[in-house]
Amino acid sequence: MSDTWLPSLKTDTPQAGFELAVKLSRVGVKYTQPSDEVRSSLRSDYDHDTTQLIASSHVIAVHFQTVAAANNWWR
Amino acid sequence: MSDTWLPSLKTDTPQAGFELAVKLSRVGVKYTQPSDEVRSSLRSDYDHDTTQLIASSHVIAVHFQTVAAANNWWR
Amino acid sequence: MSDTWLPSLKTDTPQAGFELAVKLSRVGVKYTQPSDEVRSSLRSDYDHDTTQLIASSHVIAVHFQTVAAANNWWR
Amino acid sequence: MSDTWLPSLKTDTPQAGFELAVKLSRVGVKYTQPSDEVRSSLRSDYDHDTTQLIASSHVIAVHFQTVAAANNWWR
Amino acid sequence: MSDTWLPSLKTDTPQAGFELAVKLSRVGVKYTQPSDEVRSSLRSDYDHDTTQLIASSHVIAVHFQTVAAANNWWR
Amino acid sequence: MSDTWLPSLKTDTPQAGFELAVKLSRVGVKYTQPSDEVRSSLRSDYDHDTTQLIASSHVIAVHFQTVAAANNWWR
């Protein structure tokens, strides 16, 4: 992935920060499984599996901690 | 999700902060499985499964760390 | 849950803080499965399952981080 | 558990802090399964199961973060 | 592993920091399973398994917290 | 374990800090399963199991956060 996909952790709003956390959690998967085709084919393996949906939400939560700290919690 | 659902991490009380953490953990699932219909149909998969209930509580705990820090722990 | 169950994160002692962390981990489950009856019926699913006991201890640990920080680690 | 088992998070050394983290992870289990007899009977369920040994080490790691911060990392 | 593979946690950009987090998560595996040959042979065990892809993303997220803090969140 | 195995969290380099995190994650297992013989016999249970290798890497990541903070991120 040679493109710039993460120029900054700063966001204008908490909600944009949450969306950045979602993006970071997905990019984490992409670094491990780079093929767009494979990832798409696997989508049905987790999007109806509540254990994996909760696990995905967990990863987002960890990244949201980082993004929130980077933005001084948008105080 | 184009609506504003997270205007701020500030809450008046610790309890309201905990409830915000609950909301964040649910929204994390929603970003991965956006269909309200599918999520509703999956509810019975986890709400009687203690492993998943504990996992849900875990995600809430991670978000509560973030919300508590954002509110300077309501000191 | 309309009652006030979390007025503050401050506790007099580390031990009381740990007990608050236990409470927060349980309330996290309660928000996902609000029925007292169902939760009671599920108790035997996890209280003899070491994997789930360890997972419960993990959630307590995450909340204890938050409570300890809120109390400036009772220094 | 009416006894005082956690008077302070302060320890003289990092190693004593690690041992306190081990204790906290065990007490977390004890709050969920208070019976000494049951916990003893379950010991063989996890002490030869590497998945659970790793999970136990994880809980210790989370508590060690808390204890280390409480002691200003013994700097 | 006698070589120097981690001279610093500083990176020029958040994206380079994320890539360092990916590296740290892989090195963590390498310390537990040092054989390049074995690790290569195991690749197909996780790169099509969404549970493990999510777990990998989780580890990256934890390391990214560390790297981001080390860089003062690239503010 | 009566020996001194953790005199300090300070390390000269980030890499030495990472290696300390690896050590801490292993010692966490040792406190739960103290027998060297049993732990050795279990090695083949996890060193070819990618789920457990990822979980081990996760524990290292948590400890590395602690060690990095203790060293002020080697800034």
Side-chain angles (χ1 to χ4, degrees), chain E:
Chain E
M1 293 200 283
S2 54
D3 293 339
T4 297
W5 59 269
L6 185 62
S8 168
L9 294 179
K10 296 291 274 183
T11 67
D12 286 339
T13 62
Q15 186 166 325
F18 195 90
E19 284 160 2
L20 178 55
V22 173
K23 178 180 177 177
L24 292 171
S25 70
R26 289 175 184 167
V27 176
V29 170
K30 196 169 179 175
Y31 271 96
T32 311
Q33 175 47 269
S35 161
D36 289 344
E37 196 183 338
V38 172
R39 288 200 318 284
S40 291
S41 75
L42 295 172
R43 189 164 177 83
S44 63
D45 287 359
Y46 66 85
D47 71 358
H48 283 65
D49 179 333
T50 52
T51 296
Q52 294 186 64
L53 290 171
I54 295 166
S56 297
S57 181
H58 197 152
V59 182
I60 293 167
V62 175
H63 278 306
F64 188 56
Q65 288 195 333
T66 308
V67 175
N71 287 279
N72 198 29
W73 296 274
W74 300 275
R75 275 173 196 149

Side-chain angles (χ1 to χ4, degrees), chain F residues 26-72:
Chain F
R26 289 176 184 167
V27 177
V29 171
K30 196 170 179 175
Y31 271 95
T32 310
Q33 175 48 269
S35 162
D36 290 342
E37 196 183 338
V38 172
R39 288 201 316 285
S40 291
S41 74
L42 296 171
R43 189 164 177 84
S44 63
D45 287 0
Y46 66 85
D47 70 358
H48 283 64
D49 179 333
T50 51
T51 296
Q52 294 186 64
L53 289 171
I54 295 166
S56 297
S57 181
H58 197 153
V59 181
I60 293 167
V62 175
H63 278 306
F64 187 56
Q65 287 195 333
T66 309
V67 175
N71 287 280
N72 198 29

Side-chain angles (χ1 to χ4, degrees), chain C residues 13-15 18-19 22 26 43 46-58 60-62 64-65 68 73-75, chain D residues 3-9 24-25 27-29 31-33 38 42 45-46 52 55-56 58-59 62-63 65-66 69-70:
Chain C
T13 63
Q15 186 166 326
F18 194 91
E19 284 161 1
V22 173
R26 290 176 184 166
R43 188 163 180 85
Y46 66 84
D47 71 358
H48 283 65
D49 179 334
T50 52
T51 296
Q52 295 186 64
L53 290 171
I54 294 166
S56 297
S57 181
H58 197 153
I60 292 166
V62 175
F64 188 56
Q65 287 195 334
W73 295 275
W74 300 275
R75 275 172 196 149
Chain D
D3 293 339
T4 297
W5 59 268
L6 185 61
S8 168
L9 294 179
L24 291 171
S25 69
V27 177
V29 170
Y31 271 96
T32 310
Q33 174 47 270
V38 172
L42 295 172
D45 287 0
Y46 66 84
Q52 294 186 64
S56 297
H58 197 153
V59 181
V62 175
H63 278 306
Q65 288 194 332
T66 308

Side-chain angles (χ1 to χ4, degrees), chain A residues 11 13 15 29-30 47 49-50 60-61 63:
Chain A
T11 67
T13 63
Q15 186 166 326
V29 170
K30 197 170 179 175
D47 71 357
D49 179 334
T50 51
I60 293 167
H63 278 306

Side-chain angles (χ1 to χ4, degrees), chain C residues 35-48:
Chain C
S35 161
D36 290 342
E37 197 182 338
V38 172
R39 288 201 316 284
S40 291
S41 74
L42 296 173
R43 188 163 180 85
S44 62
D45 287 0
Y46 66 84
D47 71 358
H48 283 65

